[in-house]
Amino acid sequence: MIKRVVLGALFGALTVLGTGCGDECVDQFDCREKGAAPAGQEWICNADDKCELQNLVFPEEDAGTEVDAGTEVDAGTEVDAGTEVDAGIDAGTEVDAGTDAGMNVAKGGACTASTDCMAGLRCEAATCQSLLIAVTGNDGGTRALVTEYDVPGMTSLSADGVASAYPRFGPDGAQVAFVQGDVTAAAGELAVRPVPLTAAAPTVLTTGTASSSTRIRYMEWEPGSLISWVRGSTGISTIAATGGTPTQATVNGTFPDWAPNGTDYAYSAAGNGIYVSTGGGAPAPLAGSPTSGEQPHYNRITSQLLFLANPDNLTVTFGTDTTPVLRLYSLPVTGGGTPALLADRTSETATGGTVDSYIANPNWAPDGSWVAYVRAYYQNVGGAATLCGNAGATLCGTTPGNVIFLQRVNTTTGAADGAPVKLADNATLPSFSPDGLLVAYILGGQLNVQPIDPATGATAGTLITHPKDTYTVLTNEGDDYRPRWQPR
């Protein structure tokens, strides 16, 4: 059984920050004096700024009785690596209007539509207001959280002391769905709340027990009226956002993603590749997609589908865990064809072995003109791999473990256009804002938002950092924990 290694032990090139009076740590790196963690565990800096052992989290595995093992998981996802905080930066700095001349109304100004508002804003109650970002964090318990992208201060969607996870916005941005209660087992509840948040209790739509007797995960909602999720590790169900009886959409598969029309959907089935359902019809393999294809992502404007694949079945072993060496592709979702390679694996010879990389956590810009992804670097010595940034990765030098890149894409052909642009070291889970002018990502347990130039992909403004105070933003469940933007 192949598992994707979790990059929880990855520290990367770090800047050591002083801790406050009585604090033991501000991040994982401060815990290095505790020594090596036992097998299967890692040191973390908890919400009380104390070093604590935590089990490495691996996705659920199928016993092998179904066609789809449901074991595809975002390789290289957790990186509590970078610790640099842009101290003194005003997180409330407004982003420039970008390239759309109509986006000229500042925060708090009057508007009739979101296209009137500057980047990162939406028209709500006739006023330009900050877009929200939803993440999953930890304050001693798992919490589904929302925050204004430019103002630090996260709000839990569940009641005090109630676990929650996987927040997803509805199509008009006026509702947010999440799982609450027993979020790691069948007793978890799928609930929705209105946005802006009110004092009203969440409305429970269903539970894992009622709908499938399995955990609710890999949930997706907008842009349509149905919420989809994976039943435990395999098989997709849906339910109307207004409630009712859940529908079993597929008997196998994972990583569902909705098309722009909110009806069609794609997913991946282990060993069988990418499947697509069109117009409510039975899912069928996407023509031209390799059987190793996984984690599909629709673009909201172009016909291109983004996915990861390992067509030559190359794997690497981290300790006892075997991970496929994934590449990034695009392919027209209508008609299929020959996949366009957007980001390849790499391998560079070093004395005693090689320094290699694979691709993880891809995400589209809304108009399909850019793709963000994570390149995970590791050393390979005689078939044994060590993530760069770890103490044993002596061949890596200063190479960080994870690097976020942006790659321009030809919106007609889906092919790469020019060289990739580096966005951030030691970071993961990039996510474009709905106007394409901001990229949210996680670094060292903190939510960061970086304005970019949509013409060049270069950074184009002050980095907005949400300090890790009450909550540490989680990354260890890969795309399930990717920041989700409120629709504009």
Side-chain angles (χ1 to χ4, degrees), residues 7 75-76 356-360 374-378 387 400-403:
L7 301 188
D356 303 337
S357 74
Y358 57 84
I359 308 301
V374 174
R375 184 176 290 280
Y377 290 94
Y378 60 96
L387 298 167
N402 275 13
V403 180

Side-chain angles (χ1 to χ4, degrees), residues 54-426:
Q54 172 179 279
N55 291 334
L56 287 172
V57 179
F58 292 98
E60 296 177 332
E61 293 185 304
D62 184 64
T65 57
E66 297 193 40
V67 174
D68 174 33
T71 56
E72 304 115 308
V73 179
D74 290 321
T77 56
E78 180 165 357
V79 185
D80 268 342
T83 61
E84 286 192 276
V85 178
D86 290 307
I89 291 177
D90 177 11
T93 302
E94 289 178 1
V95 179
D96 202 15
T99 57
D100 186 344
M103 298 165 59
N104 55 16
V105 179
K107 186 175 179 179
C111 57
T112 57
S114 290
T115 51
D116 298 334
C117 303
M118 285 184 173
L121 308 178
R122 64 181 249 135
C123 190
E124 193 169 283
T127 303
C128 289
Q129 301 181 23
S130 298
L131 287 169
L132 300 178
I133 295 178
V135 296
T136 301
N138 185 286
D139 63 349
T142 305
R143 307 283 181 253
L145 307 166
V146 294
T147 182
E148 293 181 74
Y149 89 91
D150 57 347
V151 180
M154 297 189 178
T155 300
S156 175
L157 295 173
S158 55
D160 290 346
V162 176
S164 55
Y166 318 129
R168 307 289 190 264
F169 288 103
D172 58 1
Q175 286 184 299
V176 59
F178 57 100
V179 180
Q180 67 175 9
D182 191 355
V183 299
T184 62
E189 300 174 333
L190 173 55
V192 295
R193 287 190 66 173
V195 178
L197 300 179
T198 68
T203 299
V204 176
L205 303 182
T206 189
T207 67
T209 302
S211 61
S212 57
S213 295
T214 54
R215 176 184 177 187
I216 296 172
R217 59 193 313 217
Y218 298 117
M219 190 169 66
E220 298 295 344
W221 186 358
E222 63 96 13
S225 60
L226 294 177
I227 302 172
S228 65
W229 71 91
V230 174
R231 301 184 302 274
S233 62
T234 184
I236 298 165
S237 291
T238 64
I239 194 170
T242 53
T245 302
T247 298
Q248 181 173 306
T250 71
V251 297
N252 58 18
T254 187
F255 294 108
D257 196 64
W258 291 107
N261 61 14
T263 301
D264 300 348
Y265 61 89
Y267 65 94
S268 53
N272 293 283
I274 307 297
Y275 281 70
V276 174
S277 171
T278 304
L286 175 60
S289 65
T291 57
S292 62
E294 61 176 81
Q295 303 174 50
H297 293 279
Y298 279 96
N299 185 260
R300 294 300 166 84
I301 294 180
T302 72
S303 65
Q304 301 296 327
L305 194 74
L306 193 68
F307 64 93
L308 296 168
N310 181 25
D312 49 5
N313 295 315
L314 181 65
T315 61
V316 62
T317 301
F318 294 86
T320 59
D321 301 311
T322 302
T323 294
V325 181
L326 295 169
R327 306 173 179 182
L328 180 62
Y329 297 87
S330 69
L331 184 65
V333 73
T334 51
T338 301
L341 180 63
L342 296 179
D344 203 353
R345 67 173 189 259
T346 63
S347 183
E348 296 184 5
T349 300
T351 302
T354 59
V355 176
D356 303 337
S357 74
Y358 57 84
I359 308 301
N361 308 126
N363 189 238
W364 278 117
D367 65 356
S369 62
W370 290 93
V371 166
Y373 61 87
V374 174
R375 184 176 290 280
Y377 290 94
Y378 60 96
Q379 74 171 29
N380 196 339
V381 178
T386 305
L387 298 167
C388 290
N390 279 342
T394 56
L395 305 186
C396 293
T398 59
T399 301
N402 275 13
V403 180
I404 295 177
F405 286 96
L406 304 183
Q407 173 63 60
R408 176 172 281 285
V409 177
N410 184 308
T411 55
T412 301
T413 65
D417 183 4
V421 179
K422 181 188 288 191
L423 182 72
D425 288 338
N426 301 311

